[in-house]
Amino acid sequence: MPGKAAAIAVIAVLGIIVYFCLDPARTPFPRCPFKMLTGLSCPGCGTQRAIHQLLHLNFAEALKYNASLALLLPVLALLGLAELLGDKAPGLRRIAHSPALSWSILALISAWFVLRNVFGI
């Protein structure tokens, strides 16, 4: 398990370095296949650009690129913390694994998908 955690940490740090140094808006990063096929923005469209902006502390720009990512980061942090703490924080783990949280996240992402394509948000 410690080797797996170290590998994940190294990959995460490398990803952070790449997204900090290279601006996906100006660099040929992979494009969204869903958008290329349908012309619609998926819930993840703009995530690479939003991550770059968040790493440079440009929160307003990150919200413009992908508001759902910027708004769901605290939830993702909660989920990660629950997994790291495990049985040391049973209440947090129970919340992180609750069906209500899963359905809420799904509803928010679905609403984001509809709103950004219908209203151009």
Side-chain angles (χ1 to χ4, degrees), residues 67-83:
S68 68
L69 171 74
L71 297 175
L72 284 174
L73 278 178
V75 175
L76 294 174
L78 171 82
L79 294 174
L81 184 62
E83 290 305 311

Side-chain angles (χ1 to χ4, degrees), residues 25-106:
R26 295 184 179 89
T27 311
F29 274 68
R31 302 292 177 220
C32 176
F34 182 80
K35 187 165 187 152
M36 288 189 313
L37 289 172
T38 66
L40 299 172
S41 295
C42 78
C45 281
T47 297
Q48 296 179 93
R49 291 169 287 168
I51 289 171
H52 176 78
Q53 294 302 325
L54 286 171
L55 290 172
H56 287 274
L57 305 177
N58 299 328
F59 299 107
E61 286 297 313
L63 280 170
K64 288 179 189 175
Y65 285 123
N66 191 322
S68 68
L69 171 74
L71 297 175
L72 284 174
L73 278 178
V75 175
L76 294 174
L78 171 82
L79 294 174
L81 184 62
E83 290 305 311
L84 282 174
L85 295 176
D87 293 333
K88 295 176 186 169
L92 182 60
R93 190 172 188 141
R94 191 171 33 259
I95 292 168
H97 289 261
S98 74
L101 180 62
S102 299
W103 284 108
S104 297
I105 292 170
L106 179 63

